[in-house]
Amino acid sequence: MKKIPKDFYNPNEQEWICRCKICNSNLLEGNTPFALEKAIKVFPEIKAKEVIFEIAICDNCASESRKSLSKQSLTDIETFMTGDQVRENMMKCVEESYENGGDTFGYCIITGVPKEFINEFQIIAQCQSGFLLPGTEAFMISSQGIEIIQDLLSPETKEELDRFKNEHFGIPPEFENILNPGDLVFL
Ligand SMILES: [Zn+2]
């Protein structure tokens, strides 16, 4: 089993977020799979990084939340995420990871753009206990890729995600234009 990549760790606490954002259950205990998502902005001029938000959501809460999203949006996203373009980009990331010590964040899985050209992105992973869910890998999605996913969403679904974001996040206002409602990949 593969460990959760260090990129998800909080630099001060040396730990990833291990409580579900919605039900607050401890994700280190038990076997409920969960998703980790972390949005990062890079400032290349000053070689700095800022974490815009990070979140863990257990499978139970995610499937509960999904019920309020339109079936059409969910089908459209699934079709897109399992399509050739995304699959090829994922394979490229995995192939390269064999040569760079296991880093699967080399390219945006939606656009295929290499990470050195990306300043705003999210890393995502499906996990279980302290490991990646067997058979899955952690991946990166650029802000451009997130826009492409958002275009697949119906207005009702966008509204619902908006509501979710307001309920569970306080995103700093300076980032509101960078990360829009609906940026959460796993809902
Ligand atoms: Zn939960």
Side-chain angles (χ1 to χ4, degrees), residues 112-127:
V113 172
K115 76 170 168 203
E116 48 272 33
F117 298 109
I118 297 170
N119 290 335
E120 292 162 30
F121 59 90
Q122 288 190 28
I123 51 173
I124 55 173
Q126 297 276 14
C127 314

Side-chain angles (χ1 to χ4, degrees), residues 20-25 27 57-62:
C20 173
K21 185 78 178 172
I22 299 175
C23 69
N24 203 38
S25 62
L27 302 165
I57 298 178
C58 77
D59 259 21
N60 300 334
C61 292

